[in-house]
Amino acid sequence: DAKTTQPPSMDCAEGRAANLPCNHSTISGNEYVYWYRQIHSQGPQYIIHGLKNNETNEMASLIITEDRKSSTLILPHATLRDTAVYYCIVRVASGNTGKLIFGQGTTLQVKP
Amino acid sequence: EAGVVQSPRYKIIEKKQPVAFWCNPISGHNTLYWYRQNLGQGPELLIRYENEEAVDDSQLPKDRFSAERLKGVDSTLKIQPAELGDSAVYLCASSLGISGNTIYFGEGSWLTVV
């Protein structure tokens, strides 16, 4: 599985958009980009995933560059409850290697 | 629909004592995972089940850790005897199949070994 690189920490003002970057320059053609977050004392929570097209759901948007070597998770209107560690993970979409390999993630601090 | 359920939520034991964690996956999910998360680190896979078969247990310390998934539903992770370094959060997760289906996590079982 390809490795990802994320900044260790970021701050964001409440109500503003939070843009979390992720580099995955060695991503393979059959690997998806997944985002999870982990709020203190809770298990990881699935946010969104994508292959090559941009994706949007009720929680966030995922922008993947055309060469697929990097992506950005966008929380459009961050709230204090979005303070968490955000993990960017690349994962093979088929075959028998379905596990998620977590890195250190980005600690997002949303400030009032 | 209920999520992944784990128990106990918190456990404090003395070293050399045994401990067991229980997991009930999301209904219908045939793939079950146990992860361990040390303080300040991301979760690391211990074992993955496809139904009742352990298909990836390469990261499970087999001298003291064991796991089972009877009937392909609930699972138990056991540590015997526990060591100080086993203090961590033990996370259970499940998914419908393994081919790219989303993996959902439980709240975790927090273990402190003293």
Side-chain angles (χ1 to χ4, degrees), chain B residues 11-79:
Chain B
K11 189 76 173 179
I12 300 175
I13 62 171
E14 294 184 343
K15 61 182 180 181
K16 300 184 182 180
Q17 294 301 305
V19 64
F21 306 110
W22 174 81
C23 173
N24 178 242
I26 293 173
S27 178
H29 282 193
N30 59 318
T31 304
L32 184 145
Y33 310 76
W34 282 102
Y35 280 79
R36 177 171 61 187
Q37 185 171 24
N38 294 313
L39 187 65
Q41 304 293 317
E44 296 178 317
L45 181 70
L46 291 175
I47 190 168
R48 173 168 64 92
Y49 281 93
E50 294 298 324
N51 299 304
E52 64 273 10
E53 181 183 1
V55 296
D56 183 356
D57 63 355
S58 58
Q59 301 302 312
L60 188 73
K62 299 181 181 63
D63 57 337
R64 298 181 299 106
F65 286 66
S66 64
E68 61 181 9
R69 191 183 184 198
L70 300 176
K71 301 182 180 179
V73 182
D74 294 357
S75 178
T76 302
L77 177 69
K78 298 178 181 178
I79 308 174

Side-chain angles (χ1 to χ4, degrees), chain B residues 1 15 51 86 99 109:
Chain B
E1 181 179 326
K15 61 182 180 181
N51 299 304
D86 295 331
S99 296
S109 293

Side-chain angles (χ1 to χ4, degrees), chain A residues 18-77:
Chain A
N19 297 281
L20 292 90
C22 179
N23 286 320
H24 31 79
S25 58
T26 60
I27 193 170
S28 300
N30 64 343
E31 289 182 316
Y32 280 75
V33 179
Y34 276 76
W35 283 84
Y36 280 76
R37 73 178 183 184
Q38 190 170 24
I39 296 170
H40 184 61
S41 298
Q42 297 183 22
Q45 177 190 23
Y46 166 78
I47 302 173
I48 198 167
H49 73 283
L51 184 62
K52 53 184 176 182
N53 297 321
N54 297 337
E55 302 288 344
T56 296
N57 63 20
E58 65 278 4
M59 291 182 66
S61 294
L62 174 60
I63 308 298
I64 303 173
T65 57
E66 191 169 345
D67 63 7
R68 301 186 71 238
K69 293 184 177 181
S70 65
S71 61
T72 301
L73 179 74
I74 301 173
L75 307 179
H77 305 287

Side-chain angles (χ1 to χ4, degrees), chain A residues 32 34 36 38 40-46 49 87 91-104, chain B residues 9-10 33 35 37 40-43 45 48 56 58 91 95 98-108 110:
Chain A
Y32 280 75
Y34 276 76
Y36 280 76
Q38 190 170 24
H40 184 61
S41 298
Q42 297 183 22
Q45 177 190 23
Y46 166 78
H49 73 283
Y87 295 100
R91 179 188 180 207
V92 175
S94 61
N96 61 0
T97 56
K99 63 186 177 184
L100 296 170
I101 300 176
F102 289 80
Q104 301 283 15
Chain B
R9 188 83 167 89
Y10 303 95
Y33 310 76
Y35 280 79
Q37 185 171 24
Q41 304 293 317
L45 181 70
R48 173 168 64 92
D56 183 356
S58 58
L91 294 159
S95 68
I98 52 90
S99 296
N101 285 312
T102 300
I103 297 174
Y104 296 94
F105 286 81
E107 293 296 299
W110 292 63

